[in-house]
């Protein structure tokens, strides 16, 4: 009996020590925190590169144009452009998060993809298919995206790798698919990408079909912006008045909320980022409620946060 | 029992007639050429002072949305045409009031819904074209999307194929698409398309 008590006591101490050590290991695990860097670090890194060799993996990407585009993105991240008539807005919003919080990581990942034709970030391995490699650098008639090979390569890789339910009918890239369901991003997919790629803590409210029920949208957005970067999932046909008659009341566009201010009780000024620009617009609270289908609050995860 | 066949027949005839309306934008362009060209010229002149685009947000052409593009931010304002706020804003951004009134009036007269300056790239060089959309006058039927005549004004003469389709380059290998649409020749510098999208 005495032996048994001593044995269990020892076992308990061992188990306790083991748990403690694993806790320390867990706490020290870098994979559990959101990787961050500063723009200065990214600028110092990219400005040292004076020339790139042509990549055998991306036959249509011109090295000089790629480097110029990469440097421009690091120096002026707001210029990132998703292109006209593409479904790349979700990927552009995601890239804003990446460039905002980890510009050095972004720069290294783009160079890795360009040089080796594949890249890894956290547990996600990008191995773009051959049609993607063939078309990157060769997209035309998309506005400034025509001369932005970094965005072309990155957005195509993201669309090729991540699939949501909207992509199931068109999983393989064919020319012109950047405008179609192949490139579209449903709300769940967007949040999943933000978590898996960058390890953000994502608080999401909303869905693809129903608007979130939020009593005071203005207060909610103000509080959300205090916590982290806020991504809005909007009905763009109403916001930008693309059609004379609204086709369907569904969201189709991702923007980054940069500022929100109440002018008086009837009007709200919102400033958001999309299409390579900041846009300031005055809206009524009811209009704001009408267009917002999703609010994703992306905050940097510290050690051990779930 | 009342015979309803004539009504059915009439409905079918109206549907067929509206769907078969021939698109003769060249005729439309020659008829409205002075106004359309004036819109383009006035817009270009004012655009040089301040980058902007104009959108009529209602079918009566009484409300407009003014998008002003500065170096760092794009402002979108909604106005009723008679509002004094509109004049204040135009003045604030150094746009000429009488020219802008002329532009707005001309746009109303030809039902031009949207005007913008679009950038496009040839050999990695940025070029601009003036893009304007006019509501096509047809019967408004339920479940039928309204269509627009879209005109593109280029600064330089363009290349077209034997069918009059706009080409992207002097090599004449590929069709140039603007807003994902193929455009057709009106003259060397102006081309058109018919689209359900006006912007």
């Amino acid at each position: 009996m005495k032996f048994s008590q001593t044995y269990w006591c020892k076992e308990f101490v061992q188990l306790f020590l083991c748990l403690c050590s694993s806790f320390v290991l867990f706490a020290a695990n870098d994979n559990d925190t959101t990787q961050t860097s500063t723009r200065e670090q990214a600028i110092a890194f990219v400005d040292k590169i004076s020339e790139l060799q042509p990549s055998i993996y991306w036959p249509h990407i011109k090295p000089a144009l790629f480097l110029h585009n990469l440097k421009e993105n690091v120096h002026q991240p707001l210029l990132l452009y998703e292109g006209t008539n593409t479904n790349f807005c979700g990927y552009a919003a995601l890239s804003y998060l990446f460039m905002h919080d980890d510009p050095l990581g972004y720069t290294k990942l783009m160079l890795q993809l360009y040089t080796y034709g594949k890249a890894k970030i956290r547990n996600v391995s990008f191995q773009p298919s051959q049609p993607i490699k063939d078309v990157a650098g060769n997209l035309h008639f998309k506005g400034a995206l025509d001369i932005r090979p970094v965005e072309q390569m990155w957005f195509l890789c993201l669309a090729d790798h991540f699939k949501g339910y909207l992509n199931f009918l068109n999983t393989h890239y064919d020319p012109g698919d950047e405008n179609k369901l192949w490139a579209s991003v449903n709300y769940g997919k967007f949040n999943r990408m933000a978590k898996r790629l960058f390890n953000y803590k994502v608080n999401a409210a909303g869905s693809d079909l129903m608007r979130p029920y939020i009593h005071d949208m203005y207060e909610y957005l103000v509080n959300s912006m205090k916590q982290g970067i806020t991504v809005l999932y909007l009905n763009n046909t109403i916001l930008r008045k693309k059609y004379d008659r609204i086709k369907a009341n569904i969201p189709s566009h991702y923007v980054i909320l940069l500022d929100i201010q109440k002018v008086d009780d009837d009007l709200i000024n919102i400033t958001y980022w999309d299409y390579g620009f900041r846009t300031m617009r005055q809206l009524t609270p009811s209009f704001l409620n009408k267009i917002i289908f999703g609010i994703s609050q992306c905050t940097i995860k510290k050690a051990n946060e779930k | 029992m009342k015979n309803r066949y004539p009504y059915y027949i009439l409905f079918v005839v109206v549907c067929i007639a509206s769907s078969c309306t021939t698109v003769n934008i060249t005729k439309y362009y020659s008829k409205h050429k002075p106004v359309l060209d004036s819109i383009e010229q006035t817009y270009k002149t004012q655009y040089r002072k301040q980058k902007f685009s104009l959108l009529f947000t209602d079918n009566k052409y009484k409300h407009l949305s003014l998008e002003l593009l500065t170096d760092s931010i794009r402002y979108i304002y909604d106005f009723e045409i008679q509002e004094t706020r509109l004049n204040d804003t135009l003045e604030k951004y150094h746009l000429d009031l009488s020219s802008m009134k002329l532009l707005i009036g001309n746009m109303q007269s030809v039902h031009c819904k949207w005007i913008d300056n679009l950038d496009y790239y040839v050999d990695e060089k940025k070029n601009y074209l003036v893009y304007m959309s006019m509501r096509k006058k047809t019967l408004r039927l339920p479940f039928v999307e309204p269509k627009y005549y879209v005109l593109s004004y280029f600064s330089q003469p363009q290349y077209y194929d034997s069918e009059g389709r706009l080409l992207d380059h002097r090599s004449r290998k590929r069709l140039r698409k603007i807003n994902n649409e193929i455009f057709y020749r009106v003259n060397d510098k102006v081309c058109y398309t018919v689209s359900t999208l006006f912007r």
Side-chain angles (χ1 to χ4, degrees):
Chain A
M1 190 71 184
K2 196 176 179 183
F3 165 78
S4 174
Q5 271 179 347
T6 320
Y7 174 77
W8 283 114
C9 191
K10 271 186 181 174
E11 283 291 305
F12 180 76
V13 170
Q14 276 179 356
L15 184 67
F16 180 72
L17 286 172
C18 183
L19 276 172
C20 284
S21 63
S22 65
F23 180 76
V24 171
L25 278 173
F26 187 66
N29 187 356
D30 282 344
N31 286 334
D32 200 45
T33 60
T34 308
Q35 188 74 38
T36 56
S37 59
T38 63
R39 198 192 300 179
E40 288 70 29
Q41 286 175 307
I43 288 171
F45 176 79
V46 81
D47 281 355
K48 279 182 197 159
I49 306 167
S50 56
E51 197 183 1
L52 284 178
Q53 293 303 310
S55 169
I56 54 165
Y57 303 101
W58 309 95
H60 294 110
I61 293 183
K62 294 176 182 170
L65 195 61
F66 186 91
L67 186 60
H68 176 263
N69 185 186
L70 188 63
K71 285 184 177 182
E72 198 172 54
N73 284 352
V74 172
H75 284 269
Q76 294 167 282
L78 290 179
L79 289 180
L80 184 100
Y81 192 70
E82 66 211 54
T84 52
N85 293 299
T86 66
N87 285 345
F88 288 152
C89 60
Y91 309 115
L94 196 77
S95 307
Y96 177 95
L97 301 173
F98 197 9
M99 287 160 67
H100 185 271
D101 285 330
D102 188 15
L104 183 62
Y106 166 83
T107 313
K108 285 181 174 174
L109 191 79
M110 294 306 114
L111 285 169
Q112 202 183 347
L113 256 176
Y114 174 78
T115 313
Y116 303 108
K118 58 184 180 181
K120 192 173 180 191
I121 174 169
R122 286 177 39 80
N123 296 324
V124 182
S125 294
F126 289 103
Q127 288 188 315
S129 56
Q130 197 54 44
I132 299 300
K133 291 176 178 170
D134 289 341
V135 79
N138 208 19
L139 289 178
H140 293 288
F141 316 133
K142 312 285 178 203
L145 188 68
D146 292 10
I147 54 156
R148 301 186 78 87
V150 177
E151 276 96 312
Q152 289 190 24
M153 179 189 77
W154 174 230
F155 296 161
L156 287 163
C157 283
L158 283 168
D160 191 45
H161 186 87
F162 288 100
K163 299 293 171 194
Y165 71 88
L166 287 176
N167 313 119
F168 287 155
L169 291 174
N170 186 0
T171 50
H172 298 285
Y173 180 83
D174 293 305
D177 275 353
E178 60 278 357
N179 312 339
K180 297 178 187 164
L181 277 180
W182 175 82
S184 56
V185 179
N186 60 290
Y187 192 47
K189 176 176 157 179
F190 179 85
N191 292 322
R192 194 171 71 244
M193 287 194 294
K195 284 179 198 168
R196 285 191 59 199
L197 282 172
F198 314 125
N199 200 24
Y200 279 110
K201 183 181 176 187
V202 180
N203 284 331
S207 70
D208 291 321
L209 294 173
M210 308 245 307
R211 289 190 289 265
Y213 177 74
I214 293 167
H215 178 63
D216 189 340
M217 184 65 81
Y218 173 77
E219 280 302 319
Y220 186 89
L221 291 174
V222 168
N223 289 331
S224 176
M225 285 190 66
K226 284 177 191 164
Q227 305 296 319
I229 300 174
T230 302
V231 183
L232 301 180
Y233 187 34
L234 304 170
N235 182 332
N236 200 35
T237 51
I238 301 180
L239 182 69
R240 299 207 74 201
K241 293 191 172 65
K242 277 198 161 183
Y243 299 94
D244 249 3
R245 297 175 205 172
I246 304 303
K247 281 188 159 177
N249 196 11
I250 50 169
S252 57
H253 194 48
Y254 294 88
V255 301
I256 306 286
L257 182 65
L258 298 175
D259 191 24
I260 184 162
Q261 286 175 351
K262 232 175 202 171
V263 182
D264 50 47
D265 284 346
D266 298 332
L267 288 171
I268 293 169
N269 281 350
I270 66 163
T271 307
Y272 57 89
W273 175 87
D274 73 341
Y275 291 104
F277 269 102
R278 288 187 300 146
T279 301
M280 203 279 278
R281 195 152 179 191
Q282 211 162 61
L283 307 169
T284 59
S286 62
F287 190 88
L288 191 66
N289 276 325
K290 197 176 168 184
I291 59 170
I292 294 180
F293 278 73
I295 304 161
S296 294
Q297 181 196 96
C298 303
T299 43
I300 291 171
K301 217 188 255 183
K302 305 282 190 305
N304 293 327
E305 275 190 80
K306 291 286 179 186
Chain B
M1 196 180 149
K2 215 173 176 180
N3 188 357
R4 289 182 177 171
Y5 278 118
Y7 297 107
Y8 293 144
I9 292 166
L10 185 68
F11 179 73
V12 170
V13 167
V14 167
C15 287
I16 293 169
S18 64
S19 63
C20 296
T21 311
T22 52
V23 177
N24 196 339
I25 194 168
T26 318
K27 213 182 251 181
Y28 172 89
Y29 177 77
S30 48
K31 187 181 170 188
H32 298 285
K33 188 175 185 303
V35 182
L36 293 169
D37 289 356
S38 159
I39 291 174
E40 188 250 351
Q41 279 305 318
T42 319
Y43 176 73
K44 264 173 114 172
T45 315
Q46 294 307 305
Y47 190 88
R48 274 183 220 118
K49 295 179 185 171
Q50 166 64 51
K51 293 176 184 175
F52 73 100
S53 49
L54 267 180
L55 163 71
F56 279 96
T57 53
D58 61 339
N59 292 327
K60 290 182 177 171
Y61 292 81
K62 298 284 181 200
H63 293 85
L64 59 82
S65 178
L66 177 66
E67 299 191 6
L68 294 150
L69 200 65
T70 68
D71 288 340
S72 57
I73 193 162
R74 171 174 46 207
Y75 297 95
I76 304 178
Y77 298 107
D78 293 318
F79 300 103
E80 202 177 315
I81 285 177
Q82 302 303 331
E83 269 184 281
T84 49
R85 273 192 323 134
L86 172 60
N87 293 352
D88 298 342
T89 307
L90 295 176
E91 272 181 351
K92 186 183 166 190
Y93 287 94
H94 312 295
L95 289 162
D96 181 54
L97 267 184
S98 58
S99 301
M100 288 302 288
K101 291 280 174 198
L102 178 73
L103 175 68
I104 291 166
N106 279 339
M107 284 177 73
Q108 283 174 312
S109 72
V110 290
H111 289 184
C112 177
K113 193 169 179 71
W114 166 250
I115 189 162
D116 190 16
N117 210 23
L118 284 187
D119 54 345
Y120 68 98
Y121 292 80
V122 179
D123 296 333
E124 293 165 21
K125 281 185 189 150
K126 197 178 195 176
N127 294 277
Y128 290 100
L129 61 88
V130 175
Y131 186 93
M132 56 170 99
S133 323
M134 275 73 57
R135 179 79 187 267
K136 198 178 147 197
K137 282 183 185 171
T138 49
L139 283 172
R140 295 197 75 172
L141 293 171
F143 313 115
V144 178
E145 287 187 71
K147 292 204 170 169
Y148 297 90
Y149 292 138
V150 182
L151 288 175
S152 293
Y153 282 77
F154 290 86
S155 305
Q156 311 87 15
Q158 297 298 301
Y159 300 97
Y160 300 92
D161 68 2
S162 56
E163 292 172 46
R165 294 177 298 182
L166 180 69
L167 296 167
D168 87 314
H169 202 265
R170 71 179 68 173
S171 63
R172 302 176 180 210
K173 285 179 185 167
R174 190 171 46 198
L175 296 177
R176 170 170 294 285
K177 285 188 175 179
I178 306 165
N179 270 352
N180 225 20
E181 301 278 358
I182 295 171
F183 275 68
Y184 298 86
R185 186 179 192 277
V186 174
N187 60 39
D188 282 355
K189 290 185 180 179
V190 184
C191 52
Y192 78 90
T193 195
V194 180
S195 173
T196 52
L197 283 174
F198 59 82
R199 63 186 296 186

